[in-house]
Amino acid sequence: MVTQARADSNVDPQAAATYVFVCPDRTEFVVRTTRAEAWVFHPNGTLKLPAAAGATGNSFSEGGVELRITGEQAHWLTTGNPPQVCSNDRRRAIWEKAKLDGVDFRAIGNEPPWVLEIRRMERIVLVLDYGAKQVDVPLPPHTDDRDTGTSRWDAGELRLEVVARPCSDSMSGEAFESEVVVTWQGRTLRGCGRALH
């Protein structure tokens, strides 16, 4: 489902907004919007809704389906069903945005916070010091140690090690599939990560 939107989308990721809406009936769905359209990845199927004619803001509709987004809430209406007001899960939306932007692997750490992404299996991007520093290098070939479940990438002053072992975020307690160690300019950053594709 996501692969289709990634392939069909020619929009600037900076101009797109991504949400994970959670509804009162516990339905959850991902939405990716631009000014022209909204892609809705719903349990009942994937929809592409054009912007509603004459509407202001984030309103999209077609064929008995209407989506209106105001701030962190979505008004979701489908023919034959009661309307729902659903709330955005901002934490999960960050990860879904990364996936739709072409990020294959994403890792995070704390104290200080940092984010590392492998993008389109071409580049490693490390953002640290509250966004003040960004390192962007070509993705080098990796080596695997099957005995320890460890994959390593060595891009000179930036080195990445991913261990296939359960990991828990030190701040939120969120569970991840991998432990991550990043070394850059003599600094060692430890955190957790997961594959997005």
Side-chain angles (χ1 to χ4, degrees):
M1 222 160 42
V2 169
T3 304
Q4 179 183 357
R6 181 176 165 192
D8 292 348
S9 177
N10 292 319
V11 301
D12 176 0
Q14 301 302 320
T18 305
Y19 307 88
V20 175
F21 287 116
V22 181
C23 304
D25 67 357
R26 298 190 179 174
T27 300
E28 300 179 4
F29 57 98
V30 176
V31 174
R32 171 86 153 195
T33 66
T34 65
R35 290 183 187 177
E37 65 193 20
W39 281 91
V40 180
F41 304 100
H42 194 277
N44 295 332
T46 302
L47 300 170
K48 181 181 176 185
L49 302 175
T56 58
N58 285 334
S59 292
F60 309 89
S61 65
E62 185 172 71
V65 177
E66 182 179 341
L67 172 68
R68 285 182 289 119
I69 301 172
T70 306
E72 296 295 311
Q73 290 191 324
H75 297 263
W76 176 246
L77 300 96
T78 57
T79 302
N81 295 301
Q84 294 196 70
V85 177
C86 310
S87 298
N88 183 35
D89 183 331
R90 294 181 72 190
R91 181 189 54 77
R92 289 174 53 203
I94 291 168
W95 289 83
E96 288 296 332
K97 179 183 186 315
K99 181 192 295 185
L100 291 170
D101 287 348
V103 173
D104 296 295
F105 181 86
R106 188 170 194 269
I108 59 172
N110 302 299
E111 298 178 5
W114 58 269
V115 176
L116 178 136
E117 295 177 343
I118 295 178
R119 298 181 179 172
R120 301 187 187 278
M121 296 309 291
E122 296 173 355
R123 307 201 66 76
I124 299 177
V125 178
L126 172 65
V127 178
L128 47 124
D129 295 340
Y130 298 94
K133 291 183 182 166
Q134 178 171 312
V135 182
D136 184 335
V137 297
L139 180 70
H142 70 283
T143 59
D144 291 322
D145 183 335
R146 293 180 189 267
D147 293 335
T148 62
T150 303
S151 296
R152 293 180 181 89
W153 291 261
D154 188 343
E157 65 179 23
L158 175 65
R159 291 191 306 278
L160 169 63
E161 183 175 280
V162 177
V163 183
R165 181 166 50 219
C167 184
S168 178
D169 182 74
S170 62
M171 299 288 278
S172 69
E174 182 178 358
F176 291 83
E177 65 190 30
S178 301
E179 291 181 358
V180 177
V181 179
V182 179
T183 306
W184 179 71
Q185 291 190 341
R187 295 169 67 175
T188 299
L189 308 169
R190 298 183 184 277
C192 304
R194 67 170 64 105
L196 301 184
H197 293 108

